[in-house]
Amino acid sequence: MDAPKFKPFIRQTISHSRQWEWIPPDLQEAVQVVSHVLPFRTNEYVLDHLIDWNNIPDDPIYRLTFPHRDMLAPDDYARLKELVLGKADQPALVALVRRIRMRMNPHPAGQMTHNVPRVNDAPLKGLQHKYKETVLFFPSSGQTCHAYCTFCFRWPQFVGMDDMKFDAKESHQLASYLRMHPEVTDVLITGGDPLIMNTRSLEAYIEPLLAPDLAHIQNIRIGTKSVAYWPQRFVSDRDADDLLRLFERVVKAGKNMAIMGHYNHAVELRPEIAQQAVKRIVGTGATLRMQGPLIRHINEDPASWAELWQTGVRLGAIPYYMFVERDTGPREYFQLPLARAHEIFQAAYQMVSGLSRTVRGPSMSAFPGKVVIDGIATIGGEQVFALQFLQARNPDWVRKPFYAKFDPQATWMDQLKPAFGKDKFFFEEEGGARSESGAGVGTEAPGARKVIPLMAARQEGGGQASASSSSASPSSGCDTHNAA
C-alpha cells in the first residue's frame, strides 16, 4: 500500500472534505467568518483519526482546530459576518480584520520589543534571544504547520501580518551571532513548524550548527506539532528515514537532538502511527519532550494529561511543560483562572508515577520569564500563590520564591498583586516588569514595533565585542534573551 500523502484543507477548500457535510450550518458559518481573522488549516489525518464527529462541537480536537464564533466578541462577529457574506465592501472587511487582530495582543511577552537582537545596529530578522542560554531561530521555509491550533500564540505568523512576522531566509546570520555568544548552549528551531520542511531544507539550517567553532552549542531543539498532527513525517513520508538519519548525525556529533513535541490531548498519542513516530524518534538517540498549554474547552480533564504523560513515558518520551495559555489571540475563549490551572495540574500529577513527574507547571511564559505556580498556601493568615521563576530575563531571579495575593479570577501574571502588603514583586524592585507595557523601554507609542539593541561588552584586552546579551542589566532596556 502506498504511504498516505499529506493533504491540507483551508477556508477555501474545507468544503471539499468529506466531513464538511457533517458540520451543522451554524458551525460552517463560524469557520468561514472567524477564519478571516484567525488562521485555519487542517488535514486529512486530523479529520479522519483525531476528531470524534459524533461529539462536535465539543470534541476537543475539533475545538483545537476549527474556529468558533465565541472566539470573537459578539459585535465583531456580527459585523464581520455581514461583510464576509455580503462580499461587497472588501476594503471595509480588510480594515475590520486588522482592527480585531490588533486588539488581540499579536506579540505577547516582549517578542517584538525586547527579544530581537541587533548586531552592528541592525536587527537580526528571524531570531529571538530572551534567556542567555537559548536562541530561537525562525527559518522562513518553516513558517506554516500541518494544521493550526486555534489557541496558537504565534498566529500572526500565519495571517499575512508581515510586519509582525519572524522569519529568516538564511542561517549564516544565526551562525555568526552564535560565534559571538559563547554563553549560548541551546538553539531552538521553531516557527510555525520546522518539520513542515523537507529533510534537505532542514539539514541546510542544522549543518552549520555542527561546525567545530560552535562546540558551545550543546542542544539543538526543534519545536514541532507534527508528532500529533502528521506523525507520518517520522514514519512513512518519502524522506522520513532521511530525517531520522539527520537526527542520528546530530547525536553522533556530540550534541543533544531534542524534539520539543507539542501535544494538547491524550487522543493525539492514541493512534498506532503516532506511537510509532515516538519510538522512531527516540530510537535515533534524540530526546522527545512533551509540552503544551492548558486550554479551556480542550484539555481541562486531569485524566487526559495523566494518560498523555504515562503513554509518552512508556514510549520513551519525557513530560516537560504544562503551560498557561498566553495572553494573546482569543484568550477570553481559552483562558482558565490560575487557581483552576493549578488544581488541574495537581490532580494530573497525583495520578502518575515519578517517571512522569519530570513535567513542570502550570507555567506562564510571561514578560519577565517563565513563572510556575508552585502552590496555593496560607501564610500568616493570608492566602497566597507560591510562585517562582523557572527561567528569567535576569538569571539571578531563577528559583527564587515569591508570593502573590490569591485571586480566584486571575488568569495571567499582570493580574496578580504582591502578597504581604508589598507594592511590588521582588523583580520589579530590581528593575524588572510584569508586562511589556511596564518595561519602560522608551517613548514609542503603544503597539509600535521596537527592537531593543544589545549592550556592547568589553572584551579582555580592552576591545569591544560587536554585541553581548550577557551584559544587559534588567533595567537597561536591553534584555534580549528568549527561549521556549
Side-chain angles (χ1 to χ4, degrees), residues 76 128 285 307 397 478:
D76 286 338
Q128 288 188 35
E307 178 191 339
W397 301 344
C478 297

Side-chain angles (χ1 to χ4, degrees), residues 205-247:
Y205 289 112
I206 290 180
E207 182 70 31
L209 304 180
L210 306 183
D213 60 348
L214 290 179
H216 58 286
I217 304 301
Q218 301 171 18
N219 306 297
I220 298 174
R221 312 185 199 179
I222 298 177
T224 183
K225 182 72 180 176
S226 61
V227 287
Y229 282 168
W230 188 248
Q232 291 86 344
R233 184 70 189 89
F234 308 93
V235 179
S236 58
D237 275 4
R238 179 180 300 177
D239 63 347
D241 289 345
D242 295 334
L243 179 64
L244 299 180
R245 300 295 84 76
L246 175 60
F247 294 170

